[in-house]
């Protein structure tokens, strides 16, 4: 576990319903294309979903594939590539997020997941590497197969359809984060 900044634990939430935030560089390892595909599936089911991708594009060819997939899937108005953000901008994004998503193919102990939990944002993340040690499936978020966009979409959709589920998981996220990620 990594300690997260103190101010995240008391950050006021101003949820923008339907907002999925992913704060990670755009690259193959982070599986950005898989997340874009999942959001397209959620929207095809009639669920309000906007994806905000906060992070630099570190693999230009992959970044172009992501842009092309967004265009091809008709998501131009629903998926935003925000680029690299300052810490203050990330906090603002976290305050408004309905769900934090990170469907990486490999990670150790991602700060983005820990920070989202400290803010009280439920998480949808990969069921591999370090993520299962951070998120309790069905309690603080969902663990999904990052290679199965349908699995990712199913769990994103469940959270986006239910404010009660988001609030309950968000509250558990904050408690878990205080216990595990608080600097003290």
């Amino acid at each position: 576990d990594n300690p997260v900044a103190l101010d995240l634990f008391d950050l006021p939430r101003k949820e923008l319903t339907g907002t999925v935030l992913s704060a990670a560089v755009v690259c193959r390892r982070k599986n950005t294309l898989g997340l874009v595909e999942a959001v397209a599936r959620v929207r095809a089911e009639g669920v309000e979903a906007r994806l905000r991708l906060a992070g630099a594009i570190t693999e230009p060819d992959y970044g172009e594939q992501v842009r092309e997939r967004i265009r091809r899937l008709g998501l131009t108005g629903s998926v935003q590539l925000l680029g690299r953000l300052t810490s203050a901008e990330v906090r603002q994004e976290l305050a408004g997020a309905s769900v934090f998503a990170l469907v990486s193919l490999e990670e150790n102990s991602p700060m983005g997941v820990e920070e989202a939990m400290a803010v009280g944002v439920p998480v949808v993340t990969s069921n591999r590497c370090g993520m299962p040690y951070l998120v309790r499936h069905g309690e603080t978020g969902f663990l999904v197969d990052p290679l199965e966009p349908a699995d990712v979409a199913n769990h994103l959709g469940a959270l986006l359809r239910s404010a009660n589920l988001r609030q309950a998981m968000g509250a558990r996220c904050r408690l878990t984060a205080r216990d595990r990620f608080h600097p003290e």
Side-chain angles (χ1 to χ4, degrees), residues 64 98 102 120 126 150 160 174:
E64 190 48 46
S98 296
L102 183 67
S126 301
L160 292 173
R174 278 192 191 251

Side-chain angles (χ1 to χ4, degrees), residues 78-184:
S78 303
V79 177
Q80 284 191 282
L81 291 161
L82 304 173
R84 185 179 179 153
L85 301 181
T86 65
S87 295
E89 291 168 327
V90 170
R91 283 165 174 70
Q92 183 177 357
E93 292 293 330
L94 282 168
S98 296
V99 179
F100 183 86
L102 183 67
V103 293
S104 298
L105 304 177
E106 57 184 58
E107 290 282 352
N108 288 320
S109 185
M111 289 297 295
V113 168
E114 294 177 3
E115 291 173 346
M117 290 175 68
V119 173
V121 180
V123 177
V124 173
T125 194
S126 301
N127 62 0
R128 55 178 64 186
C129 302
M131 284 77 78
Y133 297 101
L134 301 175
V135 173
R136 283 182 272 178
H137 184 76
E139 292 181 33
T140 57
F142 292 114
L143 298 169
V144 296
D145 183 341
L147 298 176
E148 293 293 335
D151 187 30
V152 178
N154 179 48
H155 290 91
L156 279 175
L159 281 164
L160 292 173
R161 282 190 287 273
S162 175
N164 289 337
L165 181 60
R166 287 193 309 278
Q167 289 169 355
M169 282 190 172
R172 283 189 221 111
C173 282
R174 278 192 191 251
L175 290 173
T176 299
R178 274 201 188 276
D179 184 48
R180 294 184 57 194
F181 315 134
H182 195 282
E184 293 175 4

Side-chain angles (χ1 to χ4, degrees), residues 18-34:
T19 301
V20 177
L21 173 66
S22 186
V25 297
V26 175
C27 69
R28 284 173 183 80
R29 186 172 64 86
K30 301 293 184 178
N31 192 28
T32 312
L33 280 173

Side-chain angles (χ1 to χ4, degrees), residues 49-69:
R50 287 174 311 284
L51 177 59
R52 297 181 60 77
L53 296 167
I57 296 172
T58 59
E59 297 173 5
D61 61 322
Y62 188 77
E64 190 48 46
Q65 288 175 34
V66 169
R67 285 186 187 97
E68 176 54 33
R69 189 73 50 90

